[in-house]
Amino acid sequence: LFLGRLTPHKGIDRLLRALPDGASLTVAGAVGHDPRPPERDYPELLRRLAADRRVRFTGPVDDADLPELYRRAAVFVLPTVEQTCYGRPVPVTELLGLSVLEAMASGTPVVASRTGGLPEVVRHGETGFLVTPGDIDELRLRIDMLLRKRPLARRMSQAARAIVLERFTWDRTAQRCLAAYAELTSGR
């Protein structure tokens, strides 16, 4: 499963190229907000790359349907890149990766790029895998590993959910925020 905006910096083109033989992929999300060519034609590039593969584009998904979509997925993939397929650098990649947290909360193991805030969320080898941004072979290897090694995927999915409950609920996030404020103001 990929869920997000269909825009070049999300690296969906790399995911389509990395899709292991026989694997199916659901791509969910709205078309990107790129007004100029070639970026505005990115969704068409994705459809060409998906031809003759088991890929389904759902378009936007209602928030109420997201938990089921995540739970049905064997693997969630966020292949964000630092340079788009059009050769443009991406100065700000993923600040946090909310979709990664949602997948983990649903008990779905994750394969994500080692960029932005994602390494703070995904524990490599424990809750999922982090890959080099844009590395198609590494992306394919990690996806395939989770699809073939179901006991590994189950362990990672359980660990992923536990980490979200431990660190990323609203209550835990508020506690960390208040503790940071208290630490900053304690010197006054």
Side-chain angles (χ1 to χ4, degrees):
L1 171 67
F2 167 86
L3 174 76
R5 286 187 329 273
L6 307 189
T7 189
H9 83 275
K10 294 294 186 178
I12 309 151
D13 57 287
R14 292 352 188 272
L15 173 55
L16 290 168
R17 289 181 174 107
L19 194 61
D21 290 338
S24 60
L25 172 65
T26 299
V27 177
V31 172
H33 55 271
D34 306 293
R36 298 176 312 179
E39 286 84 356
R40 76 169 175 218
D41 300 324
Y42 188 66
E44 181 54 37
L45 170 65
L46 298 180
R47 293 200 185 283
R48 284 196 312 271
L49 291 172
D52 302 324
R53 293 174 160 242
R54 294 173 47 198
V55 177
R56 179 173 66 107
F57 293 91
T58 67
V61 176
D62 188 76
D63 286 347
D65 297 328
L66 291 178
E68 180 63 24
L69 188 64
Y70 284 120
R71 282 192 297 268
R72 281 196 328 243
V75 180
F76 177 79
V77 185
L78 186 61
T80 304
V81 295
E82 294 173 335
Q83 181 171 337
T84 72
C85 60
Y86 303 111
R88 298 184 201 230
V90 180
V92 178
T93 53
E94 296 290 338
L95 298 177
L96 175 67
L98 181 59
S99 60
V100 166
L101 284 173
E102 291 172 343
M104 291 170 62
S106 299
T108 303
V110 170
V111 177
S113 294
R114 188 180 288 106
T115 186
L118 295 174
E120 296 176 38
V121 175
V122 178
R123 292 184 179 173
H124 182 73
E126 184 181 337
T127 63
F129 290 116
L130 293 167
V131 298
T132 306
D135 188 325
I136 293 168
D137 293 332
E138 186 181 10
L139 187 60
R140 180 182 301 113
L141 173 74
R142 295 305 188 179
I143 295 168
D144 190 53
M145 186 179 292
L146 288 173
L147 291 175
R148 286 186 303 104
K149 297 183 177 184
R150 298 309 302 156
L152 172 65
R154 270 192 301 281
R155 278 194 309 277
M156 285 187 168
S157 67
Q158 291 166 352
R161 182 158 168 71
I163 289 293
V164 170
L165 293 175
E166 175 189 313
R167 298 193 62 225
F168 295 105
T169 64
W170 283 113
D171 187 52
R172 297 290 183 168
T173 302
Q175 288 174 12
R176 280 197 318 275
C177 187
L178 290 171
Y181 289 149
E183 183 179 329
L184 289 171
T185 59
S186 66
R188 291 184 182 187

